[in-house]
Amino acid sequence: MNKIKIIGEPVLREKSELITDIDEEIAKLAQDMGVIMQESNGIGLAAPQIGLSKRMFVTYAPNDKLRVFINPDIIMTSPETSAYEEGCLSIPGVYADVTRSSAVAIQAFNEKGKLFKLDADGILARVILHEYDHLQGKMFVDYLSEKKQQRILKKFRKK
Ligand code: NI
């Protein structure tokens, strides 16, 4: 059973919609996403990756807890950047260095509808920025050279 959408699926390229009610259904969805992410050995999962164009993602960075971000807003990204190898459950088997801000401040609602602010750095900051991109219809391969992107896309077209 694999619920995860793979690159090439249009939903991964849509701008996700705001969640208007953080109700029991959304709380259940957050829980399900946490389970799917962990079963897939991921450290982040955004709703579009399971076919839902909603502004919501979960993270489980190393040495961190499971976090839920609903209707997130990036408040600040650091001018300092770092490069680190990224992968994505929607682009299986592909890993590449991506340069991103080293730190981020984000505001979001949790699954209980509570607004929170978070300052993150290290891997958590990276995961947050990667997952936030998914809500904009953006994927990490977009940061790679045109040539590399073509090679990756070709690989997934063949299947
Ligand atoms: Ni991803």
Side-chain angles (χ1 to χ4, degrees):
M1 184 183 69
N2 193 354
K3 293 176 180 157
I4 297 182
K5 303 289 176 192
I6 302 301
I7 191 166
E9 293 265 5
V11 68
L12 291 170
R13 292 308 193 173
E14 287 169 15
K15 188 169 189 283
S16 299
E17 287 171 15
L18 276 173
I19 293 169
T20 48
D21 279 314
I22 302 174
D23 53 15
E24 267 176 41
E25 204 179 311
I26 292 295
K28 174 76 170 62
L29 176 61
Q31 201 177 25
D32 290 347
M33 284 173 63
V35 171
I36 295 167
M37 170 179 63
Q38 290 177 77
E39 280 176 356
S40 313
N41 297 314
I43 57 173
L45 182 73
Q49 293 184 274
I50 54 164
L52 298 169
S53 197
K54 291 182 190 292
R55 299 191 73 76
M56 173 170 169
F57 63 79
V58 294
T59 66
Y60 199 178
N63 305 314
D64 193 36
K65 58 178 184 179
L66 178 64
R67 295 181 188 271
V68 178
F69 299 79
I70 297 169
N71 294 344
D73 275 316
I74 303 275
I75 301 166
M76 185 281 303
T77 51
S78 67
E80 302 80 38
T81 59
S82 56
Y84 196 82
E85 190 176 68
E86 292 190 21
C88 179
L89 293 174
S90 295
I91 319 173
V94 174
Y95 302 91
D97 275 358
V98 177
T99 300
R100 295 186 190 270
S101 285
S102 311
V104 60
I106 188 169
Q107 176 179 295
F109 293 89
N110 69 12
E111 71 282 12
K112 291 172 188 133
K114 190 173 180 283
L115 185 68
F116 67 95
K117 256 188 192 178
L118 177 72
D119 293 309
D121 57 15
I123 295 183
L124 181 59
R126 181 164 295 274
V127 178
I128 286 171
L129 290 169
H130 175 120
E131 300 310 326
Y132 185 85
D133 273 355
H134 276 298
L135 308 186
Q136 310 301 111
K138 199 164 176 180
M139 301 180 84
F140 86 89
V141 291
D142 301 353
Y143 294 97
L144 308 180
S145 70
E146 195 68 29
K147 207 172 148 189
K148 277 186 190 162
Q149 288 186 45
Q150 290 308 323
R151 205 160 52 214
I152 291 161
L153 286 176
K154 220 160 118 190
K155 194 173 141 186
F156 286 97
R157 230 177 273 135
K158 270 184 208 155
K159 285 180 186 169

